[in-house]
Short mmCIF file of all heavy atoms in Angstrom, two decimals:
data_model
loop_
_atom_site.label_atom_id
_atom_site.label_comp_id
_atom_site.label_asym_id
_atom_site.label_seq_id
_atom_site.Cartn_x
_atom_site.Cartn_y
_atom_site.Cartn_z
N ILE A 1146 162.73 119.07 76.32
CA ILE A 1146 163.47 117.61 76.13
C ILE A 1146 162.87 116.70 77.21
O ILE A 1146 162.77 117.10 78.33
CB ILE A 1146 165.00 117.98 76.49
CG1 ILE A 1146 165.47 119.05 75.48
CG2 ILE A 1146 165.78 116.65 76.41
CD1 ILE A 1146 166.87 119.39 75.81
N VAL A 1147 162.55 115.50 76.66
CA VAL A 1147 162.09 114.43 77.66
C VAL A 1147 162.94 113.25 77.61
O VAL A 1147 163.20 112.74 76.57
CB VAL A 1147 160.59 114.09 77.18
CG1 VAL A 1147 159.97 113.10 78.14
CG2 VAL A 1147 159.78 115.30 76.97
N THR A 1148 163.41 112.95 78.76
CA THR A 1148 164.27 111.71 78.84
C THR A 1148 163.34 110.59 79.11
O THR A 1148 162.23 110.66 79.56
CB THR A 1148 165.34 111.89 79.98
OG1 THR A 1148 164.72 112.07 81.23
CG2 THR A 1148 166.25 112.91 79.63
N GLY A 1149 163.71 109.34 78.74
CA GLY A 1149 162.89 108.08 79.01
C GLY A 1149 161.63 108.19 78.19
O GLY A 1149 160.59 107.75 78.63
N SER A 1150 161.70 108.80 77.03
CA SER A 1150 160.45 109.11 76.32
C SER A 1150 159.90 108.10 75.38
O SER A 1150 159.01 108.24 74.56
CB SER A 1150 160.69 110.48 75.55
OG SER A 1150 161.74 110.29 74.70
N THR A 1151 160.62 106.90 75.40
CA THR A 1151 160.07 105.81 74.39
C THR A 1151 158.93 105.07 74.87
O THR A 1151 158.24 104.46 74.16
CB THR A 1151 161.21 104.89 74.07
OG1 THR A 1151 161.76 104.43 75.38
CG2 THR A 1151 162.45 105.57 73.47
N THR A 1152 158.68 105.13 76.24
CA THR A 1152 157.45 104.36 76.74
C THR A 1152 157.07 105.06 78.15
O THR A 1152 157.74 105.89 78.59
CB THR A 1152 157.82 102.97 77.07
OG1 THR A 1152 158.91 102.84 78.15
CG2 THR A 1152 158.24 102.06 75.93
N GLY A 1153 155.98 104.60 78.52
CA GLY A 1153 155.53 104.88 79.92
C GLY A 1153 155.32 106.39 80.21
O GLY A 1153 154.82 107.10 79.27
N ILE A 1154 155.63 106.77 81.39
CA ILE A 1154 155.42 108.28 81.69
C ILE A 1154 156.19 109.20 80.89
O ILE A 1154 155.70 110.32 80.56
CB ILE A 1154 155.66 108.45 83.29
CG1 ILE A 1154 154.92 109.72 83.76
CG2 ILE A 1154 157.06 108.41 83.56
CD1 ILE A 1154 154.81 109.88 85.14
N GLY A 1155 157.36 108.84 80.48
CA GLY A 1155 158.17 109.69 79.60
C GLY A 1155 157.54 109.85 78.24
O GLY A 1155 157.37 111.01 77.81
N TYR A 1156 156.89 108.86 77.63
CA TYR A 1156 156.23 108.99 76.47
C TYR A 1156 154.88 109.89 76.62
O TYR A 1156 154.61 110.78 75.84
CB TYR A 1156 155.84 107.69 75.83
CG TYR A 1156 155.05 107.74 74.57
CD1 TYR A 1156 155.71 108.12 73.35
CD2 TYR A 1156 153.69 107.67 74.41
CE1 TYR A 1156 155.04 108.28 72.12
CE2 TYR A 1156 153.06 107.81 73.23
CZ TYR A 1156 153.66 108.05 72.07
OH TYR A 1156 153.06 108.29 70.92
N GLU A 1157 154.23 109.60 77.70
CA GLU A 1157 153.05 110.32 77.92
C GLU A 1157 153.28 111.79 78.28
O GLU A 1157 152.50 112.76 77.98
CB GLU A 1157 152.25 109.66 79.07
CG GLU A 1157 151.72 108.27 78.82
CD GLU A 1157 150.74 108.43 77.60
OE1 GLU A 1157 149.95 109.30 77.53
OE2 GLU A 1157 150.76 107.37 76.86
N THR A 1158 154.50 112.15 78.91
CA THR A 1158 154.90 113.54 79.00
C THR A 1158 155.16 114.25 77.70
O THR A 1158 154.75 115.30 77.43
CB THR A 1158 156.14 113.50 79.96
OG1 THR A 1158 155.89 113.02 81.20
CG2 THR A 1158 156.68 114.90 80.07
N ALA A 1159 155.75 113.54 76.81
CA ALA A 1159 156.02 114.03 75.45
C ALA A 1159 154.69 114.30 74.73
O ALA A 1159 154.45 115.28 74.15
CB ALA A 1159 156.80 113.05 74.68
N VAL A 1160 153.74 113.37 74.84
CA VAL A 1160 152.34 113.62 74.33
C VAL A 1160 151.74 114.91 74.82
O VAL A 1160 151.24 115.75 74.12
CB VAL A 1160 151.42 112.39 74.57
CG1 VAL A 1160 149.99 112.70 74.26
CG2 VAL A 1160 151.90 111.18 73.71
N GLY A 1161 151.76 114.99 76.24
CA GLY A 1161 151.27 116.23 76.69
C GLY A 1161 151.92 117.55 76.25
O GLY A 1161 151.27 118.51 76.16
N LEU A 1162 153.22 117.36 76.23
CA LEU A 1162 153.94 118.69 75.65
C LEU A 1162 153.54 118.93 74.21
O LEU A 1162 153.39 120.25 73.86
CB LEU A 1162 155.44 118.45 75.71
CG LEU A 1162 155.91 118.38 77.19
CD1 LEU A 1162 157.38 117.91 77.27
CD2 LEU A 1162 155.71 119.63 77.96
N VAL A 1163 153.43 117.96 73.37
CA VAL A 1163 152.90 118.22 72.00
C VAL A 1163 151.51 118.79 72.07
O VAL A 1163 151.26 119.75 71.33
CB VAL A 1163 152.87 116.87 71.16
CG1 VAL A 1163 152.22 117.08 69.96
CG2 VAL A 1163 154.34 116.37 70.94
N GLN A 1164 150.59 118.25 72.84
CA GLN A 1164 149.31 118.81 73.03
C GLN A 1164 149.32 120.21 73.56
O GLN A 1164 148.46 121.03 73.24
CB GLN A 1164 148.39 117.86 73.83
CG GLN A 1164 147.97 116.57 73.20
CD GLN A 1164 147.32 115.75 74.14
OE1 GLN A 1164 147.35 115.61 75.31
NE2 GLN A 1164 146.46 114.90 73.55
N GLY A 1165 150.29 120.50 74.32
CA GLY A 1165 150.29 121.84 74.81
C GLY A 1165 150.91 122.86 73.80
O GLY A 1165 150.98 124.13 74.22
N GLY A 1166 151.33 122.48 72.75
CA GLY A 1166 151.79 123.27 71.58
C GLY A 1166 153.20 123.63 71.66
O GLY A 1166 153.61 124.68 71.03
N ALA A 1167 154.07 122.74 72.28
CA ALA A 1167 155.43 123.01 72.25
C ALA A 1167 155.98 123.04 70.80
O ALA A 1167 155.61 122.28 69.97
CB ALA A 1167 156.23 121.90 72.93
N SER A 1168 156.83 124.01 70.48
CA SER A 1168 157.33 124.24 69.15
C SER A 1168 158.24 123.04 68.76
O SER A 1168 158.24 122.62 67.64
CB SER A 1168 158.11 125.47 69.14
OG SER A 1168 157.37 126.57 69.34
N GLU A 1169 158.91 122.44 69.71
CA GLU A 1169 159.77 121.29 69.44
C GLU A 1169 159.83 120.50 70.70
O GLU A 1169 160.00 121.00 71.83
CB GLU A 1169 161.20 121.82 69.06
CG GLU A 1169 162.18 120.70 68.63
CD GLU A 1169 163.43 121.32 68.08
OE1 GLU A 1169 163.61 122.49 68.07
OE2 GLU A 1169 164.33 120.43 67.81
N VAL A 1170 159.66 119.15 70.55
CA VAL A 1170 159.82 118.18 71.62
C VAL A 1170 160.89 117.23 71.30
O VAL A 1170 160.80 116.49 70.23
CB VAL A 1170 158.40 117.39 71.91
CG1 VAL A 1170 158.59 116.45 73.08
CG2 VAL A 1170 157.29 118.37 72.24
N ILE A 1171 161.96 117.19 71.99
CA ILE A 1171 163.15 116.36 71.77
C ILE A 1171 162.96 115.03 72.71
O ILE A 1171 162.93 115.20 73.89
CB ILE A 1171 164.40 116.99 72.07
CG1 ILE A 1171 164.49 118.31 71.17
CG2 ILE A 1171 165.52 116.04 71.86
CD1 ILE A 1171 165.67 119.22 71.50
N LEU A 1172 162.93 113.91 72.01
CA LEU A 1172 162.84 112.65 72.72
C LEU A 1172 164.23 112.04 72.98
O LEU A 1172 165.01 112.01 72.02
CB LEU A 1172 161.88 111.71 71.83
CG LEU A 1172 160.52 112.10 71.50
CD1 LEU A 1172 159.81 110.99 70.86
CD2 LEU A 1172 159.82 112.69 72.66
N VAL A 1173 164.45 111.65 74.24
CA VAL A 1173 165.70 110.98 74.53
C VAL A 1173 165.42 109.58 75.05
O VAL A 1173 164.57 109.46 76.02
CB VAL A 1173 166.53 111.76 75.51
CG1 VAL A 1173 167.85 111.18 75.91
CG2 VAL A 1173 166.66 113.22 75.06
N GLY A 1174 166.05 108.63 74.50
CA GLY A 1174 165.84 107.26 74.88
C GLY A 1174 167.21 106.40 74.83
O GLY A 1174 168.15 106.90 74.27
N ARG A 1175 167.13 105.21 75.31
CA ARG A 1175 168.27 104.39 75.42
C ARG A 1175 168.73 103.88 74.03
O ARG A 1175 169.97 103.61 73.74
CB ARG A 1175 168.07 103.23 76.18
CG ARG A 1175 168.02 103.53 77.64
CD ARG A 1175 167.89 102.38 78.59
NE ARG A 1175 167.50 102.69 79.93
CZ ARG A 1175 167.24 101.82 80.85
NH1 ARG A 1175 167.42 100.53 80.62
NH2 ARG A 1175 166.89 102.22 82.04
N THR A 1176 167.81 103.64 73.10
CA THR A 1176 168.26 103.06 71.87
C THR A 1176 167.54 103.88 70.66
O THR A 1176 166.40 104.44 70.82
CB THR A 1176 167.71 101.65 71.60
OG1 THR A 1176 166.28 101.56 71.51
CG2 THR A 1176 168.29 100.73 72.65
N VAL A 1177 168.21 104.02 69.59
CA VAL A 1177 167.74 104.75 68.37
C VAL A 1177 166.52 104.04 67.85
O VAL A 1177 165.53 104.83 67.57
CB VAL A 1177 168.87 104.80 67.31
CG1 VAL A 1177 168.34 105.37 66.01
CG2 VAL A 1177 170.02 105.53 67.78
N GLU A 1178 166.43 102.81 67.86
CA GLU A 1178 165.18 102.06 67.28
C GLU A 1178 163.91 102.47 68.19
O GLU A 1178 162.96 102.73 67.53
CB GLU A 1178 165.49 100.60 67.33
CG GLU A 1178 166.64 100.02 66.44
CD GLU A 1178 167.99 100.24 66.86
OE1 GLU A 1178 168.14 100.44 68.16
OE2 GLU A 1178 168.88 100.27 66.20
N ARG A 1179 164.02 102.34 69.37
CA ARG A 1179 162.93 102.69 70.27
C ARG A 1179 162.63 104.14 70.15
O ARG A 1179 161.49 104.59 70.16
CB ARG A 1179 163.15 102.24 71.77
CG ARG A 1179 163.12 100.73 71.81
CD ARG A 1179 163.44 100.17 73.19
NE ARG A 1179 162.43 100.60 74.12
CZ ARG A 1179 162.41 100.34 75.47
NH1 ARG A 1179 163.50 99.72 75.97
NH2 ARG A 1179 161.31 100.68 76.20
N GLY A 1180 163.64 105.01 70.11
CA GLY A 1180 163.29 106.38 69.90
C GLY A 1180 162.64 106.80 68.66
O GLY A 1180 161.65 107.44 68.58
N ASP A 1181 163.10 106.13 67.55
CA ASP A 1181 162.47 106.38 66.19
C ASP A 1181 161.03 105.92 66.25
O ASP A 1181 160.18 106.51 65.69
CB ASP A 1181 163.26 105.57 65.10
CG ASP A 1181 164.53 106.26 64.75
OD1 ASP A 1181 164.73 107.44 65.16
OD2 ASP A 1181 165.49 105.54 64.11
N ALA A 1182 160.75 104.74 66.95
CA ALA A 1182 159.41 104.22 66.99
C ALA A 1182 158.51 105.13 67.75
O ALA A 1182 157.42 105.51 67.41
CB ALA A 1182 159.38 102.92 67.62
N ALA A 1183 159.03 105.75 68.79
CA ALA A 1183 158.28 106.84 69.55
C ALA A 1183 158.01 107.99 68.70
O ALA A 1183 156.82 108.55 68.87
CB ALA A 1183 159.07 107.12 71.00
#
Side-chain angles (χ1 to χ4, degrees):
I1146 301 171
V1147 183
T1148 61
S1150 57
T1151 58
T1152 60
I1154 196 165
Y1156 181 79
E1157 293 302 321
T1158 298
V1160 168
L1162 294 171
V1163 169
Q1164 288 178 327
S1168 296
E1169 188 172 353
V1170 179
I1171 300 169
L1172 306 183
V1173 180
R1175 291 185 193 176
T1176 67
V1177 172
E1178 295 79 18
R1179 289 176 68 181
D1181 287 344

